[in-house]
Amino acid sequence: MEPAIATPPPYSANSVSIEAIQVRGGNDGYREEAGKDDEKSRGGGWKTAMILLANQALATLAFFGVGVNLVLFLTRVLGQDSAEAANNVSKWTGTVYIFSLIGAFLSDSYWGRYLTCTIFQIIFVLGLGLLSFTSWRFLIRPAGCGDVETKCREPTSVGAGIFYLSIYLVAFGYGGHQPTLATFGADQFDQKSIKQNNSREAFFCYFYFALNVGSLFSNTILVYYEDTGMWTMGFMVSLASAVIALLSFFSGYKKYRYVKPCGNPVIRVVQVFVATAKKWKIDPPKEDQLYEVDGPESAIKGSRKILHSNDFRFMDKAATITEKDEKDTKNHWRLCTVTQVEEAKCVLRMLPVWLCTIIYSVVFTQMASLFVEQGDVMNTKVGNFHLPAASMSVFDICSVLLCTLIYRQILVPLAGRLSGNPKGLTELQRMGIGLIIGMLSMVAAGATEIERLRQVKPGEKASSLTVFCQIPQYVLVGASEVFMYVGQLEFFNGQAPDGIKSFGSSLCMASISLGNYVSSMLVYMVTGITARDQNPGWIPNNLNVGHMDRFFFLLAVLTALDFVLYLFCARWYKGINLDQEEEDAMISKV
């Protein structure tokens, strides 16, 4: 057993340590110093945040201009059958959200927020440009094909290859751009100021609002033109929107507030576990005897100090100083600072909460799948006009927009006065409310399906029940998004240490990605269990002989059970604890 040193000597920063957090405004090369609280001199604030919100709306418009009708493009233009097209869209959608983790890693580790957003937006524009070109040059043959009536010629291997390259460039660009843009927007507000910190929390709410503003246009006007065969025009509109988004992003270059990257967080976390394993037989000393660099600066470049916590005490072995460590304090595979250990602890503490959000994402993904299939076998006629079942998602978008305004303007002030918390409700409370509303949306969907089956006439595909009976379930999903996804953005970004902020933001998108995969797995399992012998199962091809209502109720039960588990995780969770001396300095700058 290696003996531990009782009192740590004043070691200098090791090779992980480079500098404390540096924030600069583009105009004057600002470096954050005590006493400087003139917002104009350091850049950032709502002016630059508004540029980023506009960028988000335009980029989302461009992305959903491709994604919302992609399954129809694959079936009508590329000639794929429904199952193959649905499978390709699922893989493409999952890839988008997986790429968000890559963008977050590069942003936190090496490139910084601005450069990461710039590179991925350029990739996004290139993908849309290539998609528009290949659609016009290779795929839309004859001109105007791809609507309900006119079939396109079989695509060439070159055309199909360029098409897939283009849409995956779109996925790569948009996926890597999203979490970094959210974090870059939060960077525009100084957490050292109470006023700006409140604005930072409001930013995440408006960020999700901007996302839905962009998707509203795509899900209404753009979808209509693409559905009538004007595919190239639709892709060109998406390209123009992405180009405008990129140019608007460049316009704020000299006004943004920048935070430098903090180095590779994966290596830092691995170092903690390796150092812990090497000192497994050592009992960690008291808190004040653990290794930390002197002074107000953290040993991790660009990150504030994090105070010691009593969770996962075994990991404190990594910050325990032995006689061997005295000879080589720069070996981070044996000796880590308290801040580095706490960074790893923060990741472990967030994971249970994050896992509880995946079931909600399963609920959320039903809008793009079973809700549409359900609407397709309902009465979709409004007079002589046929309403596409997928267009019902407009009610979800409108619900998000309305609930966001109600939440920010009414619920937050009211809850703040009742609870004494200026934020109204904590992020964890909002996520819990989102789970409950999501559960209610599945109950509403199940009730709609029961009524739909009652009004099915023998020999007819569609029920006589109007598709507008789906409005409650769409509205409830939209309301739940405001609480769950906005709460997630604020929670994971706020609780993530400075060195992994973009990673925190990407967890929300990763939850959606896993939700897609879990939903597919559940459908596969339920179909395999219920469709036996002569029984058609809960979700057969002919929904009129199935029981999709039971699947919705199953999701409601799973969400209720997940909510109970979430309550335990939320009560167990302890927030990040930054250095109080630095926090006092922050408050003095308000």
Side-chain angles (χ1 to χ4, degrees):
M1 181 180 294
E2 300 177 72
I5 305 299
T7 305
Y11 293 115
S12 60
N14 49 38
S15 65
V16 175
S17 67
I18 300 178
E19 53 193 313
I21 186 168
Q22 294 188 355
V23 184
R24 62 184 176 85
N27 285 327
D28 53 8
Y30 173 79
R31 293 292 186 275
E32 193 165 319
E33 298 176 9
K36 288 187 178 182
D37 60 350
D38 181 4
E39 294 181 14
K40 293 183 179 180
S41 68
R42 63 189 173 197
W46 274 113
K47 288 185 178 180
T48 52
M50 291 301 293
I51 295 175
L52 299 178
L53 289 175
N55 178 272
Q56 165 72 344
L58 291 166
T60 303
L61 186 158
F63 174 74
F64 282 104
V66 175
V68 73
N69 254 352
L70 183 58
V71 68
L72 291 181
F73 188 88
L74 293 176
T75 54
R76 294 181 184 178
V77 179
L78 268 65
Q80 297 180 3
D81 58 44
S82 297
E84 182 184 7
N87 187 40
N88 283 329
V89 171
S90 295
K91 289 188 287 187
W92 181 78
T93 304
T95 303
V96 172
Y97 297 121
I98 292 298
F99 282 151
S100 69
L101 295 174
I102 298 175
F105 173 77
L106 293 172
S107 170
D108 287 334
S109 304
Y110 305 111
W111 291 353
R113 326 273 200 242
Y114 180 82
L115 182 59
T116 303
C117 282
T118 299
I119 291 175
F120 278 101
Q121 281 191 87
I122 291 173
I123 294 173
F124 185 49
V125 169
L126 290 175
L128 288 169
L130 189 60
L131 177 61
S132 301
F133 172 76
T134 191
S135 169
W136 166 73
R137 181 66 179 82
F138 296 106
L139 302 178
I140 306 299
R141 290 286 185 271
C145 71
D147 58 4
V148 178
E149 299 176 354
T150 310
K151 292 184 178 181
C152 294
R153 298 171 190 164
E154 185 176 348
T156 63
S157 57
V158 173
I162 298 177
F163 167 77
Y164 279 110
L165 173 63
S166 66
I167 63 170
Y168 275 94
L169 283 174
V170 169
F172 188 47
Y174 184 78
H177 162 254
Q178 279 296 285
T180 308
L181 184 71
T183 309
F184 191 43
D187 289 344
Q188 303 311 302
F189 303 101
D190 189 358
Q191 285 183 280
K192 298 181 181 182
S193 162
I194 293 178
K195 179 180 178 181
Q196 287 208 29
N197 197 42
N198 292 334
S199 296
R200 175 181 172 276
E201 292 165 0
F203 171 81
F204 287 111
C205 201
Y206 294 125
F207 183 83
Y208 201 74
F209 182 91
L211 184 151
N212 281 273
V213 168
S215 62
L216 179 62
F217 181 86
S218 299
N219 282 270
T220 53
I221 300 174
L222 212 54
V223 163
Y224 172 77
Y225 283 104
E226 291 177 350
D227 193 53
T228 57
M230 300 182 185
W231 294 101
T232 301
M233 190 199 76
F235 296 151
M236 289 294 290
V237 171
S238 292
L239 173 62
S241 180
V243 170
I244 296 172
L246 181 60
L247 294 177
S248 68
F249 182 75
F250 287 151
S251 69
Y253 173 73
K254 293 185 177 180
K255 303 174 185 177
Y256 292 132
R257 187 172 182 268
Y258 299 89
V259 175
K260 289 190 173 183
C262 301
N264 192 331
V266 176
I267 293 178
R268 292 198 301 269
V269 171
V270 172
Q271 284 175 339
V272 171
F273 286 103
V274 171
T276 299
K278 288 182 176 180
K279 302 175 184 178
W280 190 252
K281 295 182 179 180
I282 293 178
D283 293 327
K286 295 181 180 178
E287 175 183 335
D288 59 355
Q289 296 176 350
L290 296 173
Y291 172 62
E292 182 60 277
V293 295
D294 291 334
E297 299 181 353
S298 163
I300 300 173
K301 177 184 69 171
S303 180
R304 290 168 289 178
K305 276 187 176 180
I306 308 174
L307 294 181
H308 177 265
S309 66
N310 291 321
D311 295 334
F312 306 111
R313 278 281 295 167
F314 72 93
M315 295 175 66
D316 291 342
K317 300 173 188 289
T320 301
I321 307 167
T322 65
E323 292 180 354
K324 189 174 182 179
D325 294 327
E326 283 189 296
K327 302 175 183 178
D328 185 12
T329 61
K330 295 183 179 180
N331 184 357
H332 317 307
W333 298 96
R334 280 194 57 87
L335 182 64
C336 305
T337 64
V338 169
T339 296
Q340 186 176 349
V341 172
E342 290 300 319
E343 184 181 57
K345 288 184 180 181
C346 284
V347 173
L348 291 182
R349 279 196 293 263
M350 288 191 295
L351 283 179
V353 176
W354 175 72
L355 289 172
C356 289
T357 67
I358 294 174
I359 288 295
Y360 172 81
S361 293
V362 173
V363 170
F364 174 74
T365 58
Q366 302 314 307
M367 279 199 309
S369 55
L370 293 186
F371 280 17
V372 177
E373 292 189 33
Q374 181 188 50
D376 195 47
V377 288
M378 298 176 73
N379 182 7
T380 58
K381 291 184 179 180
V382 182
N384 294 324
F385 179 74
H386 169 70
L387 183 71
S391 65
M392 291 296 292
S393 62
V394 169
F395 290 100
D396 164 74
I397 297 170
C398 291
S399 174
V400 169
L401 299 179
L402 181 61
C403 290
T404 299
L405 294 176
I406 293 175
Y407 177 78
R408 289 301 312 172
Q409 303 302 323
I410 299 176
L411 291 183
V412 168
L414 179 61
R417 286 195 294 269
L418 295 177
S419 65
N421 183 354
K423 296 168 61 176
L425 299 172
T426 66
E427 293 90 346
L428 289 171
Q429 288 171 337
R430 276 183 278 160
M431 291 161 66
I433 293 173
L435 275 173
I436 293 174
I437 301 176
M439 176 188 68
L440 294 177
S441 71
M442 290 297 99
V443 173
T448 300
E449 180 64 10
I450 290 175
E451 187 61 29
R452 188 194 71 79
L453 290 172
R454 286 176 181 170
Q455 298 191 29
V456 172
K457 295 180 180 179
E460 293 187 4
K461 174 186 176 183
S463 169
S464 60
L465 185 68
T466 176
V467 73
F468 290 110
C469 287
Q470 285 189 309
I471 291 177
Q473 63 203 58
Y474 276 103
V475 169
L476 285 170
V477 171
S480 69
E481 289 176 56
V482 174
F483 287 94
M484 173 57 79
Y485 284 139
V486 176
Q488 273 193 64
L489 279 172
E490 290 186 31
F491 175 77
F492 291 121
N493 187 276
Q495 291 299 307
D498 294 324
I500 53 173
K501 288 290 186 186
S502 294
F503 169 77
S505 298
S506 71
L507 286 177
C508 181
M509 296 187 74
S511 172
I512 298 174
S513 178
L514 286 178
N516 275 281
Y517 295 132
V518 172
S519 178
S520 298
M521 181 186 70
L522 280 174
V523 170
Y524 178 79
M525 291 175 59
V526 165
T527 301
I529 293 172
T530 61
R532 292 181 177 178
D533 300 327
Q534 301 300 318
N535 194 333
W538 289 2
I539 315 175
N541 289 330
N542 182 3
L543 294 179
N544 294 334
V545 297
H547 278 286
M548 193 162 59
D549 54 309
R550 296 177 184 176
F551 183 76
F552 288 135
F553 291 139
L554 173 64
L555 290 183
V557 171
L558 291 176
T559 307
L561 295 174
D562 182 59
F563 176 73
V564 174
L565 179 61
Y566 174 81
L567 286 179
F568 284 103
C569 293
R571 289 179 63 86
W572 167 81
Y573 183 82
K574 294 180 181 178
I576 188 172
N577 191 10
L578 296 171
D579 192 326
Q580 188 60 44
E581 291 183 5
E582 188 165 347
E583 289 293 296
D584 293 339
M586 292 178 187
I587 295 174
S588 69
K589 294 184 182 182
V590 178

